[in-house]
Amino acid sequence: RNLYRRIEAITPVLDPDLRNSLIEMLTIQLADNQKACRVDAKLQNIFKKRTPGTPAIRAQYTLYNWLCSNNTQQPKEQPAMPQ
């Protein structure tokens, strides 16, 4: 992770379907209560604690499953490797 020489850019997302997909992906990421952490002033990772009684959510797996279930395209055939 680059915490010191980071460049971030923003741009409007005008397509409503794409905007909704991005919001859903962000919602999944923010719901993570297994591996999510924040960095404090001393640059230490502070892991997010799961509230008792709430389901375990691991964003990496949840996002992968969401992407698979929302994939409307057929997988592309891989091109042959040159010899």
Side-chain angles (χ1 to χ4, degrees):
R1 297 182 189 160
N2 186 348
L3 299 176
Y4 301 105
R5 294 179 178 217
R6 182 187 212 127
I7 297 173
E8 297 182 11
I10 60 171
T11 185
V13 179
L14 303 177
D15 181 276
D17 292 334
L18 182 55
R19 183 182 312 119
N20 290 336
S21 292
L22 289 171
I23 290 170
E24 182 67 24
M25 286 186 253
L26 181 60
T27 301
I28 291 170
Q29 293 292 327
L30 293 173
D32 188 311
N33 57 18
Q34 295 293 294
K35 294 288 185 176
C37 66
R38 64 180 176 84
V39 179
D40 69 8
K42 296 178 183 176
L43 299 180
Q44 300 294 312
N45 289 336
I46 308 298
F47 285 89
K48 183 177 180 181
K49 296 186 192 247
R50 191 172 94 185
T51 305
T54 60
I57 299 171
R58 178 124 181 235
Q60 186 174 2
Y61 297 143
T62 305
L63 185 59
Y64 176 82
N65 291 331
W66 180 82
L67 290 168
C68 288
S69 68
N70 287 299
N71 182 9
T72 58
Q73 297 179 347
Q74 294 298 319
K76 294 182 180 178
E77 186 176 321
Q78 293 291 327
M81 294 295 291
Q83 301 207 7

